[in-house]
């Protein structure tokens, strides 16, 4: 099924659809940022996230880059048509894609077509970033910052995303993996770890976001752990971009 969906996407038979999910400040209850997500329709007519396809270990290298570039192009095109100018915007970027010259050929024109200043865009380096050459990633991050873009490390605490690698990348934001959020109200060690990460982030001037918050119990515990920002279905589900401009 994944192969059928992938080929329909890469061949242009179906178009990527752009969704938006809010990221809330947990102290003031206000929307502080929005993540821009890409969805595709599966063979049953259900909307599916593109992440599972990008992280498929059997996916050929060139197909992974092509798929991510297609998603990025769709996101930037959608934002050019439906700009969101009142919040920070988080956009996923697979680390493999930064190894492609095609990405660097496209990123500046994508930014030029926006009415959104680059410093409002945060590129999330997604899963498995620690599996790549760290010196290269640091250089890529410097190049992106040279364009006034900001950097986030995604899935911190997932196992692949190590603290030492995160520290070397010096991101502007860290997003704590949902594995540390799930059932946190029943797991005091996870709550303590979230609190430690929040304290670290505050000391370093880094934004800290807990993602994958799905229940009110998880939300209350994360607030008690002093995590400043949160994202998840308990706070707001993804909606099509055209419905989320305000």
């Amino acid at each position: 099924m994944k192969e059928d969906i992938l080929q329909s996407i890469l061949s242009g038979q179906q178009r990527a659809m752009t969704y938006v999910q809010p990221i809330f400040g947990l102290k003031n209850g206000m929307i502080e940022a929005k993540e821009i997500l890409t969805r595709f329709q599966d063979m049953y007519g259900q909307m599916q996230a593109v992440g599972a396809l990008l992280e498929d270990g059997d996916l050929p290298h060139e197909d992974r880059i092509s798929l991510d570039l297609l998603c990025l192009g769709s996101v930037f095109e959608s934002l050019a048509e439906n700009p969101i100018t009142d919040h920070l915007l988080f956009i996923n970027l697979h680390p493999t894609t930064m190894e492609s010259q095609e990405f660097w050929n496209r990123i500046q024109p994508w930014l030029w077509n926006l009415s959104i200043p680059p410093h409002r865009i945060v590129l999330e380096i997604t899963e498995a970033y620690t599996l790549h050459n760290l010196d290269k990633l640091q250089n890529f991050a410097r190049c992106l910052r040279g364009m006034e873009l900001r950097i986030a490390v995604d899935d911190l605490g997932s196992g692949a995303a190590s603290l030492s690698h995160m520290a070397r990348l010096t991101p502007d934001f860290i997003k704590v993996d949902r594995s540390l959020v799930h059932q946190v109200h029943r797991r005091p060690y996870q709550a303590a770890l979230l609190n430690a990460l929040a304290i670290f982030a505050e000391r370093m001037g880094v934004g800290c976001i807990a993602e994958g918050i799905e229940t009110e119990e998880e939300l209350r515990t994360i607030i008690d752990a002093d995590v400043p920002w949160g994202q998840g279905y308990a706070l707001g589900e993804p909606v099509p971009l055209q419905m989320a401009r305000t």
Side-chain angles (χ1 to χ4, degrees):
M1 184 174 70
K2 284 184 179 180
E3 291 78 7
D4 293 339
I5 296 173
L6 177 64
Q7 290 310 313
S8 70
I9 296 168
L10 294 179
S11 66
Q13 294 178 24
Q14 65 164 299
R15 188 174 183 273
M17 300 183 68
T18 306
Y19 279 63
V20 177
Q21 186 174 28
I23 299 172
F24 278 82
L26 298 182
K27 294 187 178 184
N28 61 19
M30 304 291 290
I31 296 176
E32 300 285 357
K34 295 177 179 179
E35 181 172 357
I36 312 300
L37 304 164
T38 306
R39 296 284 187 268
F40 293 97
Q41 197 172 68
D42 66 19
M43 60 189 297
Y44 303 107
Q46 301 296 314
M47 299 308 299
Q48 302 290 343
V50 74
L53 291 174
L54 284 170
E55 295 308 319
D56 186 344
D58 295 327
L59 185 65
H61 178 77
E62 292 303 323
D63 283 350
R64 180 173 288 108
I65 292 174
S66 296
L67 177 59
D68 199 30
L69 286 173
L70 187 152
C71 292
L72 286 166
S74 177
V75 164
F76 281 106
E77 179 182 337
S78 296
L79 287 173
E81 296 173 354
N82 301 279
I84 299 175
T85 58
D86 53 347
H87 294 98
L88 289 173
L89 302 177
F90 284 70
I91 299 171
N92 289 303
L93 172 63
H94 196 280
T96 300
T97 304
M98 292 186 287
E99 298 174 0
S100 167
Q101 184 58 45
E102 187 64 23
F103 167 74
W104 298 102
N105 292 342
R106 296 188 188 186
I107 183 64
Q108 198 65 264
W110 281 335
L111 295 174
W112 287 334
N113 286 333
L114 297 181
S115 58
I116 303 164
H119 68 265
R120 284 189 173 270
I121 296 175
V122 184
L123 294 179
E124 291 185 32
I125 299 177
T126 56
E127 294 94 331
Y129 73 91
T130 55
L131 302 180
H132 294 254
N133 184 292
L134 186 57
D135 290 332
K136 281 186 179 180
L137 283 177
Q138 286 181 298
N139 184 56
F140 294 153
R142 281 193 293 269
C143 291
L144 293 172
R145 286 197 178 96
M147 301 177 189
E148 299 184 38
L149 296 161
R150 303 193 206 189
I151 304 296
V153 164
D154 196 12
D155 298 330
L156 187 67
S158 66
S162 74
L163 291 173
S164 61
H165 282 69
M166 180 274 295
R168 289 276 303 276
L169 282 178
T170 61
D172 303 286
F173 297 87
I174 56 175
K175 297 190 78 175
V176 180
D177 186 67
R178 65 188 62 221
S179 64
L180 292 178
V181 170
H182 181 63
Q183 296 286 297
V184 66
H185 56 290
R186 296 179 178 175
R187 298 168 180 168
Y189 280 91
Q190 285 181 205
L193 182 53
L194 285 171
N195 177 249
L197 288 171
I199 293 171
F200 161 80
E202 182 179 18
R203 180 172 297 180
M204 299 305 297
V206 173
C208 181
I209 305 163
E211 57 183 352
I213 305 172
E214 297 186 350
T215 68
E216 290 298 323
E217 293 86 356
E218 290 172 351
L219 178 58
R220 285 196 297 268
T221 304
I222 289 165
I223 292 173
D224 289 342
D226 290 326
V227 178
W229 290 11
Q231 179 181 3
Y233 277 42
L235 292 162
E237 297 185 17
V239 298
L241 175 61
Q242 292 84 351
M243 298 171 57
R245 294 183 60 188
T246 59

